[in-house]
Every structure is written in structure tokens, then in C-alpha cells.
Amino acid sequence: MDKFVIEGDRQLTGRARVSGSKNAALPIMAAVLAADGPLQLSAVPDLADVHSLLRLLETLGVHAERPAENQLDLVVETTQPHVADYDLVRRMRASICVLGPLLARRGRACVSLPGGCNIGHRPIDLHLKGLAALGADIRVERGYVIAQATRLRGTSLFLGGPYGSTVTGTCNVMTAATLAEGRTVIEAAACEPEVVDLGNCLRQLGAKIEGLGTPRIEIDGVDRLGTAQHRVIPDRIETATLMIAAAITGGHIEITPVRPDHLVAVCEVLERTGVRIERSTGDDGLPALVATAPAALVATTLTALPYPGIPTDVQAQLMALLCRAEGISVVTDKVFPDRFLHAAELVRLGARIVREGPTAVIHGVPRLSGANVMASDLRASAALVLAGLAAEGTTTVRRIYHLDRGYQRLDEKLNRLGGQVTRSDDRPGPAPPHRAGDPRKHARRLATNG
Ligand code: UD1
């Protein structure tokens, strides 16, 4: 298990390259299970969640090759396996993305329930409701979802839940519906760019899909999906994290390649705190965003919402930023109302945060000071790293494996910008030997105490 040791209080300045989107790459990779031909992907990020899904896909009969860095060629070699085992699924919740494509192409799927998670209760009832509406026979037994259908049938279905739409649920149902008989209409579909990217890849494979990026997606089922070459969109969450790195360290970072249209809400809230955001073109000719910190950050109020709102996946990083902003900020998460484990760790760095249900109230402080902190989940670790970059002194962030799940070598990227982040092994050493007291003194103490 690795940890980061961060020497803080350094301005981050320069150019940074963003990797392909993790959350787009995962359901796209899983979609190969629904296709007959090879799927050639580029801009696939090299990170732990991608490796976990590759291991799972291999057990499901997929052959994978990496012809070059960030490229991935996938092809189904055998369609017999249909069991996604607990030992692989428990490593990553997004493994549930194999359910829809397996069921649609192989007629049966047996996928372990992903289990609990540190960012809150994460049911998959909407995934199951959507697939059942397509005619699948679904039951949950011994911790596994067992789904069967000779051929799925298109229908109209509503996928909204108490916290809005579901991203991976929309991915599962949309992919399954591409091979269903007839027309499927998904109402309250997720509009996230990662769902659109999956939809575009499915279209290249031969699927007929309209309405991507809107809450109403219409799919006309086809008999088979063929082959495709697809480039994964840039990671908007990594882009936002790097913009916040510039803002929190008083720095200036040009980030490329980016999709500014995916980051409108994030740019707007950063501008409210005083950060200057400019669009430009990077050295490589690709669209870039340049974030420049203000002399002093200003407090603000924000709410994480489904797209196009501020992403819940940037809530923790924005909270880290607001710890340094003058005044009182209010942060609410309406997607995962319990996603606040990072708040207590930010307090260890000197932040002043009070939580009230799905809301945190942050009193900005002039300085943070380095300390030992523990990462609880992927985006919480990013928030702690950002706070550590801005803090005076040394910050040690433990359980960095959470960060490695979703960021491709973030330490190296930050160091190229002037950060001082050292990765090292965090295996606990042997506990110091327990020194037994002097037996004569112990006997005297017993005698005097009666
Ligand atoms: C995806 C992202 C994750 C992001 C989240 C919200 C991937 C791999 N992960 O997760 O990084 O934080 O979207 O943008 O893309 N819900 C239900 N029932 C369901 C499914 C979800 O009630 O069947 C609830 C969840 O508990 C949550 C909300 O709906 O409160 C949104 O969850 P969802 O969009 O499904 O998140 P994921 O797809 O798991």
C-alpha cells in the first residue's frame, strides 16, 4: 500500500496533460461483451480500475491487447462464461457495467452484487428495474444478480430514482437495449458526457441510438453489433482537479486536451471564487483551459447535482479549495448526501468545517498546516492531496490506492508542475517491543494498593 508525502506551500505552474475519462472507459470496455467484432480503443487511462475491469473481462472470455500506451484492443473469444465473480466485482463497483451487455448478448448473466462503499448507500435497484422492463427474468440469490432472457424486448421505461438519474444504470440499460427486439425509450436517462461517449461508441458498433445527452434516449434494437474504433473523451474530473490545483496553490496551469463544454458548471463555480479561467489551444493544437489563481479566494455556495450540474466527483476537491477561501462557504451534495468523509480529514489539516446532513459549512482559514491524513475514497484522496499541496509543512496521505483507482500517475503530473509529492511504501513496520516493567516494582505496587 502506498502513501504520498507532500511538501506543501508551493505554487503549481505549467502545462498538464489530462488522461482519458475513467468513467467513460469502463462501460465502453464492458460493451465489447455485446459486440461480435473487435473494439479498438484509444485514450484509455492506465489506472487500477481499468486493470480490474480487464481482469474481469478476461474471465468472461475477452482477449485484450495493449498495442501502445493508452490503447486497448478487445475482442470476445468465447461467449460461454457468464459469471462475474465476487472476488473481482468487489474491487470495483463499476464492474456492474458487464450486466447489461452480458445479458443482452449471451442471454444470461450472473454478476456479484458490488456491496457497500465509503461514499454512501449505492443500490443497483434502478439497473435491475430497467433490465426487468426489457423482459429479463431477474433474481438476487447468495449475493449474485442472476438475469436471464432469450431475447430482450424494447419498451418505454423510467430510470429516475430518489437522487436523480443513474449513470452506470443508464449505461447498462442502454447497452442491453441495443440488442433488444424493437424500440426502447429510456425516460430520466443520465445526461453525463460519459453516457454520451458510450452511446457514440455503441453507434459505431452499429447500434441505433437517438437523444444522447438528453433525459430521453431512444434505441431501435439491432440483431448484432460489429466492430468499432473509438477515442475515449478527456477526463473532466481530472481536468477539474488540476484547475483546483492551480487555484489552491496560487498557481497557473494550462490543461489539455479538454472538453470545455463538459465543464461549464465547474468553471462557473471556480470563477465565483475568483479563479480566472480562459479557453486556449495547447501546444498540440488541442483545446485547452487555463486556470489562474486570484490573489485571494472568495467563499461561495455550491450544490453537487447530476449533469450538467457540479459533479459530485468534484465536491471533495472544491471543498478543499473553499477551506482556503475568505468567508463562509456552503457545500451540499444531492447525488451522494453522505459523501463527506474527507471533511474530518481536512479538519486535521486545519480546516474549519461543520457538517449538517447533506451539507457542510466551511469557515475559510488563512492557512492549512501539514499533518497525517487518511484517504477514504477516490475523490476524497484527491481533495487531501490538493489540501496538502497548499498546506504549510509536510502532509502524509495514506491509502493512496484509492487515488490510483482513478488518476493516472497524478503524483508525476503534479511534480512536473512544481509540486513535491513523493510516493513510498506504507507497509506498517513491526510494532515496537512491549517493555515489561520491573517485576520487583510491580510487586511493591500490588502490596501498597492492597
Ligand atoms: C457514477 C460514477 C461515479 C459518480 C456517480 C454520480 C462511474 C463508474 N461512476 O457512479 O464516479 O460519482 O456516477 O455521478 O461512472 N442510485 C439508486 N439506485 C440505483 C442506482 C443509483 O438509488 O440503482 C442512486 C445512488 O445511490 C446515488 C445516485 O442514484 O445516490 C446516483 O448514482 P449513479 O449515477 O448510479 O452512480 P454510479 O453510476 O454508481
Side-chain angles (χ1 to χ4, degrees), residues 198-431:
L198 167 66
N200 285 333
C201 179
L202 289 168
R203 282 162 78 153
Q204 283 190 54
L205 285 166
K208 293 187 179 152
I209 306 176
E210 296 298 330
L212 290 169
T214 77
R216 181 191 173 95
I217 298 179
E218 297 180 6
I219 304 141
D220 282 310
V222 294
D223 289 337
R224 57 180 291 273
L225 298 177
T227 68
Q229 291 186 336
H230 183 78
R231 184 172 190 83
V232 176
I233 53 170
D235 196 310
R236 64 193 170 107
I237 308 300
E238 188 191 358
T239 308
T241 305
L242 289 165
M243 288 199 283
I244 297 168
I248 200 169
T249 63
H252 170 87
I253 306 180
E254 182 188 272
I255 305 154
T256 183
V258 294
R259 285 283 304 263
D261 54 321
H262 293 169
L263 285 150
V264 173
V266 170
C267 289
E268 195 267 345
V269 75
L270 285 176
E271 282 170 341
R272 270 194 272 138
T273 68
V275 179
R276 202 169 79 231
I277 311 274
E278 291 156 298
R279 290 186 184 207
S280 77
T281 306
D283 274 355
D284 45 13
L286 296 169
L289 279 173
V290 185
T292 308
L297 290 159
V298 183
T300 192
T301 294
L302 66 91
T303 303
L305 289 165
Y307 190 82
I310 294 168
T312 173
D313 284 353
V314 190
Q315 180 257 106
Q317 301 91 312
L318 285 169
M319 188 185 293
L321 179 71
L322 295 173
C323 291
R324 292 286 310 278
E326 268 175 34
I328 296 176
S329 298
V330 181
V331 171
T332 303
D333 197 322
K334 293 222 168 151
V335 181
F336 290 114
D338 287 324
R339 191 177 202 172
F340 286 108
L341 285 179
H342 45 278
E345 298 300 297
L346 289 170
V347 168
R348 291 181 56 75
L349 296 171
R352 287 180 61 202
I353 305 172
V354 181
R355 186 184 159 190
E356 283 279 341
T359 296
V361 178
I362 302 136
H363 293 247
V365 293
R367 53 181 279 277
L368 297 171
S369 59
N372 283 308
V373 288
M374 194 81 89
S376 55
D377 67 76
L378 166 54
R379 307 303 171 185
S381 9
L384 297 176
V385 169
L386 290 170
L389 289 168
E392 288 173 9
T394 307
T395 297
T396 302
V397 186
R398 300 207 135 84
R399 297 195 184 159
I400 274 304
Y401 63 87
H402 284 299
L403 188 92
D404 291 336
R405 280 190 37 223
Y407 290 89
Q408 182 177 321
R409 295 184 278 282
L410 187 65
D411 44 338
E412 293 173 20
K413 291 187 185 181
L414 295 173
N415 288 343
R416 277 196 288 276
L417 295 164
Q420 201 178 322
V421 183
T422 312
R423 178 188 288 267
S424 60
D425 192 353
D426 195 22
R427 255 174 295 188

Side-chain angles (χ1 to χ4, degrees), residues 59-70:
T59 68
L60 293 170
V62 174
H63 176 73
E65 276 185 23
R66 278 195 175 266
E69 206 193 347
N70 300 126

Side-chain angles (χ1 to χ4, degrees), residues 23 121-126 163 166-168 312-313 335-336:
N23 286 354
H121 180 48
R122 294 180 78 176
I124 56 159
D125 56 313
L126 299 171
Y163 305 100
T166 162
V167 175
T168 48
T312 173
D313 284 353
V335 181
F336 290 114

Side-chain angles (χ1 to χ4, degrees), residues 439-450:
R440 279 166 306 181
K441 278 190 193 159
H442 183 57
R444 269 202 301 276
R445 223 176 281 131
L446 281 180
T448 41
N449 287 346

Side-chain angles (χ1 to χ4, degrees), residues 17-279:
R17 261 197 91 75
V18 165
S19 302
S21 160
K22 168 183 89 76
N23 286 354
L26 297 173
I28 287 174
M29 288 164 62
V32 75
L33 293 167
D36 290 352
L39 177 57
Q40 294 180 298
L41 301 174
S42 53
V44 179
D46 184 14
L47 36 82
D49 273 8
V50 165
H51 302 163
S52 296
L53 184 59
L54 274 176
R55 273 200 291 278
L56 175 59
L57 289 176
E58 278 167 0
T59 68
L60 293 170
V62 174
H63 176 73
E65 276 185 23
R66 278 195 175 266
E69 206 193 347
N70 300 126
Q71 288 186 18
L72 195 56
D73 290 356
L74 301 172
V75 66
V76 174
E77 279 186 331
T78 161
T79 55
Q80 286 310 308
H82 64 284
V83 181
D85 195 66
Y86 173 70
D87 269 345
L88 291 168
V89 173
R90 74 183 166 85
R91 289 170 208 269
M92 183 188 60
R93 292 190 55 82
S95 304
I96 195 66
C97 287
V98 302
L99 177 62
L102 263 187
L103 172 67
R105 179 67 182 80
R106 301 187 187 178
R108 57 187 182 155
C110 179
V111 179
S112 170
L113 282 167
C117 166
N118 279 346
I119 68 174
H121 180 48
R122 294 180 78 176
I124 56 159
D125 56 313
L126 299 171
H127 301 231
L128 304 189
K129 176 181 143 183
L131 295 172
L134 293 175
D137 172 32
I138 296 185
R139 58 189 204 278
V140 177
E141 259 174 35
R142 298 174 193 217
Y144 280 80
V145 176
I146 300 166
Q148 280 180 305
T150 318
R151 180 154 187 205
L152 296 169
R153 290 183 314 274
T155 188
S156 281
L157 59 100
F158 178 78
L159 220 46
Y163 305 100
S165 49
T166 162
V167 175
T168 48
T170 304
C171 292
N172 253 329
V173 176
M174 176 170 73
T175 307
T178 61
L179 290 175
E181 197 178 340
R183 166 167 284 222
T184 299
V185 180
I186 305 176
E187 302 282 5
C191 302
E192 270 70 3
E194 294 76 16
V195 177
V196 176
D197 205 30
L198 167 66
N200 285 333
C201 179
L202 289 168
R203 282 162 78 153
Q204 283 190 54
L205 285 166
K208 293 187 179 152
I209 306 176
E210 296 298 330
L212 290 169
T214 77
R216 181 191 173 95
I217 298 179
E218 297 180 6
I219 304 141
D220 282 310
V222 294
D223 289 337
R224 57 180 291 273
L225 298 177
T227 68
Q229 291 186 336
H230 183 78
R231 184 172 190 83
V232 176
I233 53 170
D235 196 310
R236 64 193 170 107
I237 308 300
E238 188 191 358
T239 308
T241 305
L242 289 165
M243 288 199 283
I244 297 168
I248 200 169
T249 63
H252 170 87
I253 306 180
E254 182 188 272
I255 305 154
T256 183
V258 294
R259 285 283 304 263
D261 54 321
H262 293 169
L263 285 150
V264 173
V266 170
C267 289
E268 195 267 345
V269 75
L270 285 176
E271 282 170 341
R272 270 194 272 138
T273 68
V275 179
R276 202 169 79 231
I277 311 274
E278 291 156 298
R279 290 186 184 207

